[in-house]
Amino acid sequence: MPNCGCETETMSHQILQYALSGLSTGAIYSLIGIGFAIIYNSTGIINFAQGEFVMLGGMMTYFFLSLLRLPMLAAMCLSILLTTAVGVVFERLAIRPLRNANPLSLVIITIGGSILIRGIAMLQFGKDTHSIPAFSSNEPLVIADATILPQNLWILGITFLIIAANRYFFYHTINGKAMRACSHNRRAASLVGIGVKRMVLISFAISSALGSIAGIITAPLTMTSYDVGIMLGLKGFCAAIIGGMSSGVGTVFGGLLLGIFESLGAGLISSGYKDAIAFIILLLILFIRPQGLFRKAETERV
Amino acid sequence: MLRVKNINTYYGQVHALKNISLHLRAGEIVTLIGANGAGKTTILNSLSGITPPRDGEIQFEGVTVNGFSPDRIVEMGISQVPEGRQVFKDFSVEDNLELGAYLRYRNKEKKSDIRKDIEDVFGLFPQLSGRRRQMAGTLSGGEQQMLAIGRALMAKPKVLLLDEPSMGLAPLVVQEIFKVIVNLRVKRSTAVLLVEQNARAALKIADRGYVLETGKVILEENARDLLENKDVQRAYLGRDKKEIWER
Ligand SMILES: Nc1ncnc2c1ncn2[C@@H]1O[C@H](COP(=O)(O)OP(=O)(O)OP(=O)(O)O)[C@@H](O)[C@H]1O
Ligand SMILES: [Mg+2]
């Protein structure tokens, strides 16, 4: 018989372990969720093609690495650039011409766009699952009794940097402020000369770039294939809903919370529940607090 | 400088502006008066490209600008201070002014020039200068109106469209704001198209005025003549009645 206390100790140790691994998954969800939020705030539509940007990031990096034998950093940068280009072209071809359509048809168009991008990726890259090498060694590190892979630290570090950059952009640059102004009061924004079309384009560019980065940094751990965008997109969407569609802190916490819950649920209950947990949380939020957990009293939107 | 010829603007089926023609010379202050729903705001929004007219022509400095998007209109030199101020409430006073200069930032104008103009606005409205970091949504109505005007001025407009700047403000504040409007003409030779409920005050500072009724211009005259016009007095300068009672 184990001495008393021992079991609870392994239990808390396990919880710490699950929480740690959930944290980096959650960081990925945050990045994807911020992409959803940025586009939502500038256009009022949910861009269901967001997950495909994530897929493109990982898949393109794999192909630049394995087929063109580019160095890692070059492959990553090229993938981010190309995915951003896809995001911009998508806005130009699918969203801008229909700007006056109602939001529902635009959302359906993004679903169509997502199916199209996924289809092209399948034809181009095949149906296999791939992995890209970790950014540094694969030796687990031990932190406070729990182990963590260096790639997890990369994920957390890069996500943190991006969120900081994002914050800087939205609060300290004129274009970032203009985008926020546009989402708060579109009419007043256009009266000071802020071109709404340009803001929408920038928001697609940023969101697709963020998505592709998320796809790249997670690929060494979770593998990538032409259809990873579906699930990752939905999880990111879920993070954004928890965060009340904020393109900042709210969605970051939403993603982290989701990642941790998922990991705890999968570890302590059954891994079969992993995906279900996201949707249970999503439904709970929509029923109980549709404005998200982290949104203060609704700021005025015009 | 600004010439509007026979424009017609619709909201769906509603024919809001019927063959409106008007003009504005450089440095002139012109006022639009008319009852609620006469179409004053719609005229300003048609000029700003927010509700583009279906036909007719808007010429600014010889360029036909109808059909231009609102941001291009601002770039041409026509800025609007909208009805109800519409400041960016979740932004600081300073951020609001910076956003007013958005196009100048985009056109890579020197930051120091823009900073200087922000200070100029604080010079114009000293009441704002102690509140640079305050959120615009927490300003008083008068301060918000000053900020909205300051924000529009940050684009260095040649024509300023003002929609009911005195709405809901105390007489003293209105006086201050009107003084600034008059000074704009003196210092920057900015032309002003002023929409006002407070027709008497507006006509006192204006050179000319147009009287609007259900989407049509029914009268155009010198401000002084309008002030003395019996019909105008009866319909729009209702304050007189109060003076009569007081006598
Ligand atoms: N968005 C809209 N949709 C439909 N009709 C509108 C809309 N905006 C204005 N109208 C109509 O157009 C006409 C002119 O309105 P406008 O706002 O220009 O009047 P106004 O002279 O500015 O009035 P006020 O003094 O009350 O501000 C009114 O009959 C109004 O009902
Ligand atoms: Mg009006």
Side-chain angles (χ1 to χ4, degrees), chain A residues 175 177 184-185 193 198-199, chain B residues 71 74 86 90 95 98 102:
Chain A
N175 274 311
K177 287 178 193 175
H184 284 288
N185 189 338
R198 187 179 142 93
M199 295 300 119
Chain B
D71 50 305
V74 177
Q86 309 282 332
D90 294 340
D95 278 348
E98 266 184 36
Y102 174 75

Side-chain angles (χ1 to χ4, degrees), chain A residues 140-160:
Chain A
L141 306 168
V142 179
I143 299 173
D145 272 359
T147 55
I148 188 168
L149 289 171
Q151 186 65 28
N152 283 319
L153 293 182
W154 279 106
I155 291 178
L156 289 174
I158 290 174
T159 305
F160 179 80

Side-chain angles (χ1 to χ4, degrees), chain B residues 22 30-34 40 43-44 193-196 209-210 212:
Chain B
L22 50 85
V30 170
T31 182
L32 288 178
I33 53 187
K40 305 177 298 288
I43 291 187
L44 298 197
L193 188 57
L194 174 64
V195 166
E196 260 304 335
Y210 292 89
L212 228 63

Side-chain angles (χ1 to χ4, degrees), chain A residues 171-192:
Chain A
Y171 286 83
H172 298 281
T173 70
I174 188 72
N175 274 311
K177 287 178 193 175
M179 283 181 68
R180 277 168 56 226
C182 197
S183 79
H184 284 288
N185 189 338
R186 189 177 279 231
R187 156 125 6 144
S190 61
L191 284 178
V192 298

